[in-house]
Amino acid sequence: MLDLALSILFSSLIFIIFKLFDVYKVQTLYAIIINYFTACIVGFLFYNEKIIPSSIPQKPWFIGALLLGILFILVFNLMGKTSQKIGLSAASVATKMSLVIPVLLGIYLYNEKLNIFKTTGILLALTAVYLASIKEQKTKFNLKMLLLPFLVFIGSGTIDASIKYLEENYVTESEVPLFSSFLFLSAGLFGVVFITTRITKYPLKINLKNIIAGVFLGIPNFFSIYYIIRALRNPAFTSSSIFTINNVSIVLFTTLIGILFFKEKLSLKNWTGIGLAVASIILMVMF
């Protein structure tokens, strides 16, 4: 349970840091790429065994981690476009609602059993995520706009489900820091490739503020992944319970942080979502 609590804590810290990016006018894309390399270095420092670079491509999880690195960058950019074209709440809802994908995978692949209480908890969680994240906004909407949040939903859910699959089948206990580090290294390298393709349109400028922001983001980012992988290894909880509690708790915690530190205003829908989030967590933990 401690691993899950730490994953929620570090994931929520990421939210705070992203909020501060806006306050201090940090260039998010460049900071994100620095963050991936920072997270990679933290993982290597956290790894107790000797690192032999030539042996990493031989690991059974190597190709999966490489592909996940690409997904990290793609989903990040899709989230950015969704936020810009539709709104931040749409991106947030799509990301957190994606918990349904690893939940269904856990039931299908690992024969995880859901009783009536846990099923109710998952349904309440999905409703809570939507209500707590949605913001009142005046945005012209058309059917074509559904594509972006749908892709964010699929991409985020695929990342969570893939991490569970690789952790379950290919990653040993001692390799968790190494696996996590390589995920971020892969994402960072593909991020460099991505900005290189845009360098003629968006010239790259070395900015100390972006570098510092990326370092501060990278540390909690590594530990958010590291501890969720450790939590998934806990036999006391199914992966469906872990992903549900994790996602809903992050929404709940970050919403409260927004109220206390960023003076965000909540609607009746948002407060209803918070209440349902608490109820869903109680059902998932107690039953």
Side-chain angles (χ1 to χ4, degrees):
M1 197 66 182
L2 178 61
D3 290 325
L4 180 56
L6 287 171
S7 175
I8 293 165
L9 173 63
F10 284 115
S11 296
S12 300
L13 280 175
I14 293 171
F15 164 83
I16 298 172
I17 293 168
F18 270 123
K19 279 283 190 180
L20 293 174
F21 278 12
D22 188 50
V23 173
Y24 290 101
K25 309 302 179 187
V26 172
Q27 291 176 291
T28 304
L29 177 59
Y30 297 129
I32 282 285
I33 293 170
I34 295 295
N35 133 83
Y36 285 140
F37 288 113
T38 300
C40 170
I41 292 169
V42 171
F44 285 148
L45 293 174
F46 215 63
Y47 187 51
N48 293 323
E49 299 180 20
K50 183 180 179 181
I51 298 172
I52 305 173
S54 60
S55 69
I56 294 178
Q58 311 304 319
K59 300 290 184 184
W61 44 258
F62 174 77
I63 297 298
L66 198 65
L67 294 174
L68 271 175
I70 301 174
L71 261 183
F72 274 24
I73 288 293
L74 288 177
V75 171
F76 166 73
N77 282 286
L78 285 169
M79 286 172 64
K81 288 184 178 180
T82 303
S83 300
Q84 292 162 7
K85 292 182 179 295
I86 304 177
L88 186 60
S89 60
S92 175
V93 170
T95 303
K96 297 307 177 187
M97 292 281 278
S98 67
L99 70 89
V100 72
I101 295 177
V103 165
L104 292 176
L105 182 75
I107 296 168
Y108 178 73
L109 286 184
Y110 309 115
N111 296 315
E112 294 180 355
K113 304 299 182 185
L114 293 179
N115 57 35
I116 186 64
F117 297 105
K118 290 189 184 298
T119 302
T120 303
I122 291 170
L123 293 175
L124 284 179
L126 291 171
T127 308
V129 166
Y130 175 78
L131 292 175
S133 303
I134 201 71
K135 305 295 181 193
E136 299 297 333
Q137 56 185 349
K138 297 177 181 178
T139 305
K140 291 184 179 180
F141 183 81
N142 60 59
L143 194 59
K144 290 181 180 179
M145 284 188 175
L146 284 175
L147 180 61
L148 280 174
F150 176 74
L151 290 175
V152 170
F153 171 84
I154 294 296
S156 297
T158 301
I159 287 173
D160 286 344
S162 299
I163 287 174
K164 166 62 183 173
Y165 179 78
L166 292 172
E167 173 274 326
E168 179 82 15
N169 295 284
Y170 299 113
V171 182
T172 64
E173 182 74 32
S174 64
E175 286 182 337
V176 171
L178 184 63
F179 170 71
S180 303
S181 292
F182 189 76
L183 278 179
F184 290 116
L185 176 61
S186 175
L189 291 173
F190 284 109
V192 170
V193 172
F194 177 77
I195 61 172
T196 302
T197 61
R198 293 156 52 98
I199 206 163
T200 53
K201 188 175 180 181
Y202 303 98
L204 178 60
K205 296 179 181 179
I206 301 300
N207 185 315
L208 185 60
K209 183 167 61 175
N210 294 339
I211 294 172
I212 293 172
V215 170
F216 275 97
L217 179 64
I219 296 170
N221 200 5
F222 168 79
F223 286 112
S224 68
I225 294 292
Y226 174 77
Y227 282 114
I228 192 65
I229 292 174
R230 283 177 57 92
L232 286 167
R233 292 175 175 270
N234 188 338
F237 291 94
T238 62
S239 66
S240 57
S241 296
I242 291 292
F243 282 118
T244 302
I245 296 169
N246 185 69
N247 280 25
V248 175
S249 297
I250 291 169
V251 169
L252 181 61
F253 193 32
T254 53
T255 300
L256 294 176
I257 289 172
I259 296 169
L260 294 174
F261 296 101
F262 298 100
K263 310 302 179 186
E264 293 185 354
K265 304 294 184 182
L266 298 188
S267 65
L268 179 59
K269 288 180 181 178
N270 298 148
W271 283 113
T272 303
I274 291 173
L276 291 178
V278 173
S280 71
I281 292 170
I282 291 172
L283 286 172
M284 296 299 290
V285 172
M286 298 298 293
F287 300 98

